[in-house]
Amino acid sequence: MQKIKTRDVIVIGFALFSMFFGAGNLIFPPHLGMTSGDEWLTGFSCFIFVEVFLSCVGIYAMVLGGGSITALEDAIGKIPGRVLNIIIILCTGVLIAPPRTAATTFEMSIAPFTDKISLLAFSIIFFAIVFITTIRPTRFVDIIGKYLTPILVICTFILIIAGIVNPIGEIAPPLSSTVAQDGVIAGYQTMDILAVVGFGIVMLNTLRLKGYTDHKVQLKAIIYICIVAGLLLCSIYGGLAYLGATSSQVISHDLNQAQLIVAITRHLLGSTGTLILGIIVGFACLTTAIGLAGATAYFFEKISNGKIKYQTWIVINILISASLCNLGLTSIINLAVPILTTICPPFMVTVILLLFRNHIKNNAIYKVCAFIGLIFGLYYTIQSYI
């Protein structure tokens, strides 16, 4: 069996961490910590289950099934599987996540320092960088893993350590009566469980480009890669949730998710902290946008049998994402909630069942469970508007 290089595992694991660790991953844990108060570990655990555990399991399940497209379509049928894949890819790679990453970067990395750069001008610059980085499909995973992730991790840990050494305040009782549910919804909002469709393709392609062609070796490598990414994600999420929990008696509860992390950073590190946060946000959102753009382009090239070239979709993706970015962060988050609450349950159920593909041969089971998940998703979505 081919030997798996430790260097490859670390670089690809760092890249996977960075692709997952985007706008939502940074802004939702502190807000969850604030609303959860002294029950923040409960909210955090539910968040981690959806955000880290299911996402890593999803990557493995997709690779186990031979790739995200094949895995879903073989389980629930070609047409429903293809429809679900396309909806998920459009949400994670075009309509919600990339515009949100750019809008978050603007609100947290640019707006606190100057009002001379408009959101429109910034979105053009942001997505120009994404274009330059992703237009060559063989480069972007190594660029993320080798160069961007180490800077992101170091800056984030500086903030977390500052908050542990010198806590903002005492942890108060929870502001919410639905802490566990809040944790699950925050996990939905990061969209990482959905991103496994595109990221599964990226991971497989990257392993193949590095010479790992045997399926068993690929599966073993994916386990190691997910462990590296998962440990980084858990440690950083835990730190950010703790910062939010310690802020509930000191910082206003009326701030939105992005404004809260800005306020926490200013309280802990002053103006220097604002600069550090700007670097964290910029790198977190940029690495995610790069990963999603590349994954989406891979996906559409594959399902079109090469008729839509990778480079063509990169251009289409960036033009649409840059336009939607100008709706603003709050509008994008509000738009995402009903969509994600509806489509996450059927997808999560199917991904979990795919782990037992060798034991569950009857495709009717996958279809029924996915349908039940969809019904529950629709129910909770409708309930939130009643």
Side-chain angles (χ1 to χ4, degrees), residues 256-271:
N256 67 24
Q257 290 92 337
Q259 292 166 341
L260 174 61
I261 187 65
V262 170
I264 288 173
T265 306
R266 282 180 176 163
H267 188 93
L268 290 171
L269 300 172
S271 58

Side-chain angles (χ1 to χ4, degrees), residues 207-226:
L207 288 172
R208 287 166 183 160
L209 287 170
K210 290 186 177 294
Y212 300 102
T213 54
D214 183 81
H215 188 57
K216 290 183 179 179
V217 175
Q218 290 171 349
L219 286 172
K220 189 174 181 180
I222 284 294
I223 292 173
Y224 296 149
I225 289 165
C226 286

